[in-house]
Amino acid sequence: MVRTARFSSDDFLDAAMALVAEGGPTAATMQAIARRVGAPTGSIYHRFDSRSAVLGAAWNAAYASFVAALAPFLLGGHPREAALAILPWCGENERRARFLLLHEPVALFEDSPPPAPLRLALERLEDEFDAAFRACVTACGDGAAREEDLARARFLIFDGPIAILRPYLVQGGALPPFVGRMIAELHAGMPLVAGQGTPAAAAA
């Protein structure tokens, strides 16, 4: 008779994200992750060789989910909608959002980097996301993605919205409804591409 595993890899990844979200990177030890799942410590080592492997797989899972939520809008040339898509993603993935958006990989992997296959998988995700981002900037301009345009787009789509959300992600719980208005107003007040004028002015 085949014995079914009680604990899946996803169980350990979810536990790792929860621990980092609640207590920072140092909270996610192998013992703490296993304890959070309710599994013996040996069980986690059947699936992951090291703490960096668990955190690397968790980071890739959270990042892939984030990319999947925003990339379609970026590829369609809709920067404001891409920025606003961060809100429902955070609402549906609170644990992943706090894990991904409140921490830097350097803090997660200061002891040792993730295994090479996980690093390569993350590089592929980053390349996919960067291609979608650059396609959006190109579509919104004159076909050339200049350094200033890329900097503006990063601020409007990622850095600005995440800075607005950060205090509420730290606090936890539902995001207040006005953060969406703030992100929309950010886009209304600043053009994605230099020299185009604001979207509000262009529509007037």
Side-chain angles (χ1 to χ4, degrees), residues 102-184:
L102 296 180
H103 299 92
E104 296 291 338
V106 66
L108 291 173
F109 306 114
E110 61 181 355
D111 296 330
S112 61
L118 290 172
R119 295 201 303 273
L120 290 173
L122 179 57
E123 287 174 9
R124 287 194 293 271
L125 279 170
E126 290 174 337
D127 288 345
E128 174 191 339
F129 205 26
D130 186 61
F133 168 71
R134 287 175 178 272
C136 183
V137 177
T138 300
C140 292
D142 58 6
R146 302 175 185 84
E147 183 178 357
E148 181 180 350
D149 297 335
L150 293 170
R152 285 169 174 267
R154 286 190 191 95
F155 174 74
L156 287 169
I157 300 170
F158 307 120
D159 298 344
I162 290 171
I164 291 170
L165 293 173
R166 187 177 298 274
Y168 307 103
L169 291 175
V170 171
Q171 168 182 311
L175 297 172
F178 60 77
V179 296
R181 293 196 298 273
M182 290 177 68
I183 292 172

Side-chain angles (χ1 to χ4, degrees), residues 54-71:
V54 183
L55 292 178
W59 185 269
N60 286 8
Y63 191 73
S65 175
F66 187 73
V67 170
L70 273 66

Side-chain angles (χ1 to χ4, degrees), residues 18 27 44-45 47 59 66 73 75 83 101 111 114 129 135 146 176-177 189:
I44 191 172
Y45 283 102
R47 293 161 180 79
W59 185 269
F66 187 73
F73 295 106
L75 290 169
L101 302 182
D111 296 330
F129 205 26
R146 302 175 185 84

